[in-house]
Amino acid sequence: MKGSRPLRNGVREARVRLGLSQQELARAAGVTRQTIGGIEAGLYQPSVAVAMRIARVLGAGVEDLFWLEDEVPRVEAVMALPPARPASGRVSLARVGGRWVAYPLGGERAFRTEVVPVDGLVEEGEEAGGEGRVAVRLVGGDVEDLERGVVIAGCSPALGLWAREAERRHPGLRVQWLHANSTQALEMLAKRLVHVAGVHLRDPATGEYNVSFVRRALPGRAVSLIHLGTWREGLAVWPGNPKGLRGAADLARPGVRVVNRERGAGARALLEEALRAAGVPGETVQGLDRVVFSHQEVAREVARGAADAGVVPAAVAAAYALDFVPLQEARFDVAIPDEWLTLEPVRQLLATLSLRALRRQLELAGGFTTERTGELVARVVA
């Protein structure tokens, strides 16, 4: 009918979430695969009976799967990062510090070990008040569900373990892990773009971990540093260590190639400090200017023979079946502004640190020593 409002649906999202093919859903709902395809493409509006059967198979209410276009909720959000290129408009969302934050999902940002669910679509050609704000149309969810989210920025893959365990223990809790080095994580925390920052930065002047960096990054705010674990950091080398590398001094030998991390990464700071302590000028080390952006990328470069050594945690070297030359034990903490410690999603996330099952996973897969996991190690008040 002319002037009628288009009917939208979330059938495809619900079907994919349950791991069903179009054919499987069609068979269970008593319709043809073409009917399901037409509904998902917006080419066919189902009858009430068909809609009810589909909803029953998908374990959802009819109104959760079908809605009128102008009923789709919208929110105003701040973009946490520049959009990926090419920009897709797809974002995930979280409520941080009283405002919505949108995290672009494009390129590698759209993946962890699985596709990151899309929470909304940025409305093209619409602005929402300047300062990088955008209008976002929600996809297949509601505001109340999204407000149960907490966002962690950091570089350790163990943060992903923590996120999944917290979601498993607290149904409805949403935990997003954004990969960022320690400096980037603190910058995002200071800008109120995330709730939690993972940090492993050592002050070479004092030997103290994390406190001075948090104080500088978040002046005027009270921040709690909670211990996640202690891990060994060192050089990942080819199995059998054919170059016979024993420490930073050996990296200046002819024929030895390293791979480095970006500025602001704790691994890069460790390598630079180790070279200074060994009296090795950086210009004598081949590959020091070759930069990758994660512990996993460092290990991959060594594993495929493109580099002879790079700084990673011991657990990452083990995951790639590489040998490991230890350089130091590092304290990995998570920084959380005190103003957010009373938020229910943050409280639920922190509560999981006392779980024996999580600590075991942090030890086995994350490579952490967990005797002090969950302990408040410092309260930083700038």
Side-chain angles (χ1 to χ4, degrees):
M1 180 183 297
K2 186 175 181 179
S4 63
R5 296 173 294 178
L7 184 70
R8 304 301 185 190
N9 72 82
V11 172
R12 182 183 183 280
E13 290 79 5
R15 174 178 62 78
V16 171
R17 191 160 53 242
L18 293 176
L20 296 175
S21 67
Q22 287 186 344
Q23 185 62 55
E24 289 169 332
L25 175 56
R27 186 182 303 115
V31 298
T32 66
R33 186 196 63 76
Q34 289 77 10
T35 295
I36 298 299
I39 291 172
E40 292 185 354
L43 303 176
Y44 171 66
Q45 295 190 10
S47 67
V48 173
V50 169
M52 291 179 68
R53 292 204 298 271
I54 291 173
R56 183 168 58 246
V57 173
L58 295 176
V62 173
E63 291 184 353
D64 293 326
L65 289 178
F66 300 94
W67 60 87
L68 297 174
E69 172 63 25
D70 62 358
E71 293 175 343
V72 177
R74 287 168 170 77
V75 299
E76 177 184 315
V78 174
M79 293 293 284
L81 302 163
R85 294 290 184 265
S88 67
R90 300 183 306 150
V91 296
S92 60
L93 291 164
R95 189 81 168 169
V96 184
R99 63 181 181 174
W100 289 104
V101 180
Y103 307 91
L105 297 177
E108 292 190 2
R109 295 177 189 162
F111 300 92
R112 293 294 180 263
T113 54
E114 70 283 343
V115 177
V116 179
V118 176
D119 292 327
L121 296 171
V122 175
E123 300 277 65
E124 292 186 12
E126 293 193 21
E127 296 183 358
E131 298 183 7
R133 294 178 179 267
V134 293
V136 179
R137 176 165 52 88
L138 303 190
V139 175
D142 55 45
V143 171
E144 289 75 16
D145 290 339
L146 295 175
E147 286 184 331
R148 294 196 62 190
V150 57
V151 186
I152 310 171
C155 66
S156 171
L159 295 173
L161 291 174
W162 185 21
R164 298 293 79 79
E165 183 66 20
E167 289 181 336
R168 189 173 74 84
R169 297 283 178 163
H170 299 281
L173 176 65
R174 292 163 42 94
V175 185
Q176 296 188 63
W177 168 40
L178 302 180
H179 185 274
N181 67 45
S182 295
T183 302
Q184 292 168 338
L186 286 176
E187 289 173 353
M188 296 182 79
L189 190 66
K191 294 176 181 178
R192 291 178 166 82
L193 299 175
V194 299
H195 299 95
V196 183
V199 193
H200 64 111
L201 294 170
R202 180 179 179 274
D203 187 335
T206 64
E208 181 185 53
Y209 276 94
N210 303 326
V211 172
S212 61
F213 298 92
V214 171
R215 183 175 291 115
R216 285 197 296 270
L218 286 89
R221 296 174 70 184
V223 181
S224 291
L225 272 174
I226 297 171
H227 189 57
L228 190 64
T230 300
W231 61 6
R232 291 187 303 154
E233 290 182 299
L235 300 174
V237 299
W238 188 255
N241 195 3
K243 296 291 178 77
L245 304 178
R246 294 290 177 264
D250 295 329
L251 299 180
R253 288 177 3 206
V256 175
R257 302 159 300 162
V258 304
V259 60
N260 203 358
R261 286 287 305 281
E262 76 281 11
R263 295 190 184 280
R268 183 186 181 106
L270 170 57
L271 179 57
E272 292 175 347
E273 184 180 345
L275 290 173
R276 282 195 298 270
V280 176
E283 59 270 19
T284 66
V285 179
Q286 183 181 350
L288 200 63
D289 56 351
R290 184 179 183 183
V291 171
V292 297
F293 295 89
S294 73
H295 297 306
Q296 297 94 307
E297 287 184 83
V298 171
R300 281 197 293 268
E301 290 295 285
V302 176
R304 71 185 185 91
D308 299 302
V311 173
V312 297
V316 174
Y320 285 83
L322 299 171
D323 279 7
F324 181 76
V325 179
L327 294 177
Q328 71 172 16
E329 285 198 348
R331 197 182 84 199
F332 194 103
D333 300 327
V334 292
I336 307 175
D338 285 5
E339 67 209 70
W340 293 337
L341 290 175
T342 58
L343 298 176
E344 185 63 18
V346 174
R347 290 168 63 91
Q348 291 177 335
L349 176 68
L350 292 177
T352 61
L353 291 179
S354 63
L355 297 175
R356 183 176 180 183
L358 174 61
R359 293 189 179 205
R360 187 61 173 155
Q361 285 296 323
L362 291 176
E363 292 168 358
L364 292 174
F368 280 123
T369 300
T370 61
E371 285 86 352
R372 300 178 62 194
T373 294
E375 179 181 324
L376 176 66
V377 292
R379 189 168 178 271
V380 182
V381 182

